[in-house]
Amino acid sequence: MLDTMHRSSLLRFLFLFFIGVVLPCEALLEQTSTPPLLSTPTYSLATFNKDGTTNMNICTYASPVSITPHRIWCLGLYQETLTEENIQRSPFGVLQLLTEDHADLVSVLGGTSGRDIDKKEACARLGFEWERNDDMEGIELLPGCSSYLYLQIQGGLVDAGSHLIAPYCRILSMWRDPKGTSPQLSTGRLRELGIITEQGRVANVERELSNRGFRLE
């Protein structure tokens, strides 16, 4: 009987050891090189070209970081772009929060450079003529955006490799378009539409532009 009790106790111990130690070990974290797939708001940053005209890009690395005494945002911008060139010369811009109505513009604004294509004309052909706004130094804007943040990049840019970080973007004024009532555009929605890849790039620039009647030279 004693041996039977010992065996029973031993079996209970082994069972508890198994569920308390062995099973948790099987659920340990696994290291991965794949970043989390996020869905973030999609913006277009309007900046001033050297000749005073407007350039626009697509910006998805944008986030508020402080509220008082000033509203401060942080932006991530691709290096060696016309947007970077403009910001280095004139640190003012307008961050435009796009809606789903603007989805077809992403391949034009984000898949090409303003050095290679007339983005203003391209947007107009897609039904979105840029509109001059004298309340923001005459910069041109997309109609129908969910919001417009007129900002100044202060303190310079930080080299972070593929991107330059603008860690201190002071919001000078905020505006809205009563016509911008469509749902806000997100990277998740752009992936669903096949416009961007999981890496955040325009899925196929030439195909997307061709589908919209454009051709890169």
Side-chain angles (χ1 to χ4, degrees), residues 183-202:
Q184 295 175 3
L185 185 61
S186 68
T187 53
R189 181 58 178 153
L190 290 172
R191 287 193 297 269
E192 290 176 2
L193 295 171
I195 295 175
I196 65 171
T197 65
E198 291 188 356
Q199 290 72 40
R201 299 275 192 169
V202 175

Side-chain angles (χ1 to χ4, degrees), residues 131-169:
E131 300 173 351
R132 177 185 171 91
N133 188 288
D134 291 326
D135 290 314
M136 290 175 267
E137 305 300 327
I139 200 166
E140 293 181 301
L141 303 174
L142 287 169
C145 291
S146 181
S147 68
Y148 303 84
L149 305 178
Y150 181 41
L151 58 83
Q152 179 183 17
I153 296 177
Q154 300 178 350
L157 304 174
V158 178
D159 189 338
S162 62
H163 286 67
L164 291 167
I165 307 302
Y168 196 98
C169 301

Side-chain angles (χ1 to χ4, degrees), residues 46-200:
T47 55
F48 289 103
N49 292 321
K50 188 175 182 179
D51 61 2
T53 59
T54 299
N55 179 64
M56 295 186 192
N57 73 349
I58 291 295
C59 180
T60 57
Y61 293 163
S63 177
V65 293
S66 185
I67 300 174
T68 58
H70 307 294
R71 291 188 181 274
I72 306 299
W73 281 52
C74 178
L75 304 181
L77 307 170
Y78 268 114
Q79 296 222 42
E80 299 180 359
T81 61
L82 184 56
T83 294
E84 178 206 344
E85 179 183 317
N86 289 345
I87 288 296
Q88 296 281 18
R89 184 184 60 258
S90 173
F92 295 92
V94 178
L95 196 61
Q96 308 170 96
L97 178 54
L98 304 182
T99 72
E100 292 188 1
D101 289 342
H102 299 105
D104 285 346
L105 303 183
V106 170
S107 56
V108 171
L109 297 179
T112 65
S113 169
R115 300 185 180 106
D116 303 322
I117 189 173
D118 186 335
K119 294 186 178 184
K120 179 178 180 178
E121 178 186 357
C123 288
R125 287 174 58 183
L126 292 171
F128 291 88
E129 292 190 12
W130 295 4
E131 300 173 351
R132 177 185 171 91
N133 188 288
D134 291 326
D135 290 314
M136 290 175 267
E137 305 300 327
I139 200 166
E140 293 181 301
L141 303 174
L142 287 169
C145 291
S146 181
S147 68
Y148 303 84
L149 305 178
Y150 181 41
L151 58 83
Q152 179 183 17
I153 296 177
Q154 300 178 350
L157 304 174
V158 178
D159 189 338
S162 62
H163 286 67
L164 291 167
I165 307 302
Y168 196 98
C169 301
R170 180 176 173 180
I171 305 302
L172 303 177
S173 60
M174 300 182 292
W175 306 78
R176 60 179 296 273
D177 186 341
K179 301 186 296 295
T181 57
S182 295
Q184 295 175 3
L185 185 61
S186 68
T187 53
R189 181 58 178 153
L190 290 172
R191 287 193 297 269
E192 290 176 2
L193 295 171
I195 295 175
I196 65 171
T197 65
E198 291 188 356
Q199 290 72 40

